[in-house]
């Protein structure tokens, strides 16, 4: 039997990756404009990092991690998300004693042992950012605006931004009590798993996707009614930024997010046509996490976005992003005696920054011209034995069939000139 990619993982082939590159490049540009620099952390971390950072009782930690013991007896885990690693790196490199805030973004694979389906994989890719070291609500707004603007600019349709504030250690206990009071008489209406553990973390019942929990919590008290003054002011400021920047959103008092470390702002963005797995980004403020991981008290906010889902949505919506770029030139050899010369010429063109295709092997000129047509190259350079002996080649424009004889030494200059004329002197990107 042939070996296949593990369940829930997949190969991204060159055709599909073109659109990934467009999305990634656009994201990098947006991060640059907002003053974020890239960070790369290991795919493997000490298991303890996620247990402490995400919370032992979460599904993510208790059911979905890829954890193993290495040959040295250490428990390691393939990262299921990026925030804990960024915070670890921030502390490990003492970035908290440098200028604040620290604004970083990341892009790469994450691993979760989930049931695979369309838009849900065991190895998937996230793009995310964190701002460490500021309480300012402008930072919250920034981490919402970046994914929103990214998707808008990519043409993603049916975006829905939901926003909430879940308070802080000052005001959340009061909300928690109110929620427990609400749930107590409704326990038998919850899903089987929450019937057992609703008391330990009642906020997670609100986050539960089951019909039972959704129905039972339809009238649950709203987090925003319990915010302390600091949290209420913060939330109002975040909303003002979004309104003044014309980012449409709605407040969703059920939105609490699954992870333990969130405080104040939480948000989620969904896109239409994704069905059940419709979340394309989520994030929020996590003022307690740095301390939880053994550091000083440092406020922070961030988001993560699932690239696989963004791209799946774009594909379903029929995007034409990421068209293939044909080579500019195809170099053909008319005769075996000039085969090497033709290939060397192709190498020289590439060194000069001109995308040049040529054939391998020993094929007739007719066959090579056919390949040239298929590549979509604008020009064909034919290296013929007689011309080559004179230091010349034939340059043929594919669209018109017009041919000219060019000195081989002048070819790069001729092609560069015609490219500049075509783009009206504008530098090619
Ligand atoms: P989370 O850290 O769970 O909030 O996830 C952030 C984003 O990552 C989600 O909004 C999804 O777009 C994406 N995501 C999470 N889990 C998966 C998965 N198993 N497969 C694909 N994308 C995922």
């Amino acid at each position: 039997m042939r070996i296949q990619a593990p369940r829930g993982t997949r190969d991204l082939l060159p055709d599909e990756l073109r659109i990934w590159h467009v999305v990634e490049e656009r994201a990098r540009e947006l991060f640059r404009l907002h003053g974020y620099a890239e960070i790369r952390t290991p795919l493997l971390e000490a298991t303890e990092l996620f247990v402490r950072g995400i919370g032992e009782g979460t599904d993510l930690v208790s059911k979905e991690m890829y954890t193993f013991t290495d040959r040295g007896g250490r428990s390691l885990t393939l990262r299921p998300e990026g925030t804990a690693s960024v915070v670890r790196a921030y502390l490990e490199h003492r970035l908290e004693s440098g200028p604040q805030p620290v604004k970083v973004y990341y892009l790469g694979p994450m691993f979760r042992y989930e049931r695979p389906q369309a838009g849900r994989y065991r190895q998937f890719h996230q793009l995310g950012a964190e701002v460490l070291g500021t309480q300012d609500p402008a930072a919250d707004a920034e981490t919402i605006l970046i994914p929103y603007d990214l998707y808008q600019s990519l043409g993603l349709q049916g975006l829905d931004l939901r926003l909430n504030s879940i308070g802080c250690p000052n005001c959340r206990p009061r909300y928690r009590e109110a929620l427990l009071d609400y749930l107590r008489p409704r326990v038998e209406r919850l899903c089987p798993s929450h019937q057992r553990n609703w008391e330990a973390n009642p906020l997670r019942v609100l986050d539960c996707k089951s019909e039972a929990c959704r129905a039972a919590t339809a009238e649950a008290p709203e987090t925003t009614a319990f915010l302390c003054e600091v949290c209420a002011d913060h939330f109002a400021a975040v909303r003002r930024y979004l309104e003044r920047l014309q980012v449409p959103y709605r407040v969703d008092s059920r939105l609490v997010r699954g992870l333990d470390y969130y405080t104040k702002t939480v948000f989620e963005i969904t896109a239409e046509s994704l069905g059940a797995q419709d979340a394309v980004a989520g994030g929020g403020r996590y003022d307690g996490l740095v301390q939880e991981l053994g550091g000083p008290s440092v406020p922070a906010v961030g988001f993560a976005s699932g690239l696989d889902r963004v791209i799946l949505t774009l594909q379903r919506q029929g995007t034409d992003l990421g068209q293939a770029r044909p080579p500019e030139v195809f170099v053909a050899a008319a005769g075996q005696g000039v085969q090497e010369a033709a290939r060397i010429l192709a190498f020289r063109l590439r060194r000069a920054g001109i995308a040049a295709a040529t054939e391998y092997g020993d094929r007739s000129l007719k066959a090579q011209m056919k390949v040239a047509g298929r590549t979509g190259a604008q020009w064909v350079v034919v290296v013929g034995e007689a011309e080559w002996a004179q230091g010349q080649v034939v340059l043929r424009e594919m669209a018109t069939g017009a041919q000219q004889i060019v000195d081989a030494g002048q070819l790069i200059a001729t092609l560069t000139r015609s490219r500049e004329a075509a783009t009206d002197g504008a530098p090619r990107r």
Side-chain angles (χ1 to χ4, degrees):
M1 207 178 76
R2 289 222 197 122
I3 297 169
Q4 294 186 326
R7 186 166 146 77
T9 73
R10 64 209 173 111
D11 301 306
L12 296 172
L13 299 179
D15 265 352
E16 188 177 357
L17 275 177
R18 283 202 300 271
I19 181 166
W20 283 74
H21 292 157
V22 172
V23 175
E24 288 170 6
E25 276 161 30
R26 206 152 305 169
R28 286 185 194 280
E29 176 61 7
L30 213 52
F31 282 129
R32 187 186 68 79
L33 293 173
H34 286 267
Y36 289 71
E38 186 180 359
I39 184 167
R40 295 191 191 179
T41 61
L43 301 193
L44 287 171
E45 295 277 3
T47 302
E48 182 65 15
L49 175 67
F50 302 116
V51 173
R52 266 167 59 191
I54 300 173
E56 198 147 15
T58 57
D59 279 0
L60 192 52
V61 168
S62 61
K63 298 184 192 152
E64 296 171 4
M65 293 208 304
Y66 277 93
T67 297
F68 63 95
T69 307
D70 78 1
R71 287 168 198 275
R74 305 167 194 90
S75 178
L76 297 179
T77 293
L78 286 173
R79 63 180 187 188
E81 56 101 51
T83 304
S85 302
V86 170
V87 172
R88 180 202 46 72
Y90 175 85
L91 293 174
E92 191 166 328
H93 301 283
R94 304 197 186 291
L95 301 183
E96 83 276 8
S97 50
Q100 305 294 304
V102 170
K103 296 169 54 157
V104 289
Y105 75 88
Y106 58 85
L107 218 159
M110 305 291 162
F111 306 84
R112 294 184 192 175
Y113 193 81
E114 293 191 88
R115 206 159 43 78
Q117 61 187 75
R120 199 209 271 158
Y121 311 96
R122 289 180 174 171
Q123 176 177 334
F124 59 100
H125 303 78
Q126 276 187 351
L127 157 91
E130 319 289 350
V131 185
L132 296 123
T134 180
Q135 298 265 12
D136 197 312
D140 305 45
E142 207 168 273
T143 56
I144 300 171
L145 192 75
I146 291 172
Y148 187 83
D149 277 2
L150 175 65
Y151 307 150
Q152 281 286 77
S153 86
L154 291 166
L156 216 67
Q157 286 151 25
L159 291 177
D160 184 25
L161 165 60
R162 288 172 302 125
L163 184 71
N164 196 21
S165 173
I166 56 171
C168 67
N170 275 334
C171 52
R172 192 143 11 129
R174 276 204 309 131
Y175 175 71
R176 193 172 173 278
E177 280 312 312
L179 185 59
L180 286 172
D181 289 344
Y182 172 86
L183 290 174
R184 203 162 287 117
R186 296 175 174 82
V187 175
E188 67 283 5
R189 287 166 52 191
L190 303 179
C191 77
S193 128
H194 280 126
Q195 282 188 20
R196 270 177 276 117
N197 61 15
W198 63 283
E199 246 169 332
N201 195 337
L203 263 76
R204 285 214 197 105
V205 181
L206 292 179
D207 201 36
C208 181
K209 299 283 177 285
S210 78
E211 266 311 309
C213 285
R214 292 186 75 91
T217 56
E219 311 274 290
E222 303 192 339
T223 54
T224 45
F226 290 79
L227 298 180
C228 61
E229 203 179 324
V230 175
C231 287
D233 286 350
H234 186 95
F235 192 44
V238 175
R239 296 178 58 173
R240 262 196 318 276
Y241 280 117
L242 296 179
E243 280 152 26
R244 296 189 63 180
L245 290 161
Q246 274 113 39
V247 177
Y249 70 90
R250 56 199 174 89
V251 174
D252 177 358
S253 58
R254 306 175 50 92
L255 182 68
V256 292
R257 311 257 316 142
L259 311 183
D260 277 356
Y261 53 59
Y262 286 105
T263 52
K264 295 197 175 93
T265 314
V266 289
F267 77 94
E268 201 161 277
I269 303 177
T270 55
E272 78 186 11
S273 89
L274 266 178
Q277 302 301 318
D278 60 355
V280 285
R285 183 162 275 285
Y286 50 93
D287 290 346
L289 181 61
V290 181
Q291 210 163 20
E292 182 65 39
L293 291 176
S297 169
V298 175
V301 60
F303 80 90
S305 170
L307 279 181
D308 307 75
R309 286 188 196 168
V310 169
I311 285 155
L312 187 66
T313 315
L314 286 170
Q315 286 166 336
R316 287 192 183 165
Q317 293 177 351
T319 180
D320 63 350
L321 292 171
Q323 296 293 330
R325 265 168 59 179
E328 290 165 84
V329 182
F330 187 94
V331 184
Q336 272 189 16
V338 285
Q339 227 170 53
E340 254 182 51
R343 285 175 193 158
I344 300 276
L345 191 58
F347 281 122
R348 294 229 161 95
L349 292 175
R350 295 163 185 161
R351 274 187 172 164
I354 295 170
T358 186
E359 268 287 280
Y360 299 114
D362 197 7
R363 303 183 72 180
S364 71
L365 182 60
K366 199 169 152 202
Q368 292 177 66
M369 292 307 278
K370 236 186 181 157
V371 175
R374 256 205 318 270
T375 64
Q378 189 188 348
W379 303 96
V380 175
V381 172
V382 182
V383 183
E385 295 191 353
E387 291 88 356
W388 190 248
Q390 310 287 319
Q392 293 179 320
V393 294
V394 176
L395 180 62
R396 177 187 172 95
E397 185 169 17
M398 288 299 264
T400 58
Q403 297 199 155
Q404 52 180 310
I405 305 253
V406 179
D407 279 346
Q410 289 302 309
L411 186 62
I412 290 169
T414 307
L415 288 169
T416 310
R417 255 201 317 278
S418 79
R419 180 207 273 168
E420 277 165 9
T423 54
D424 217 3
R428 203 181 143 94
R429 292 188 38 136

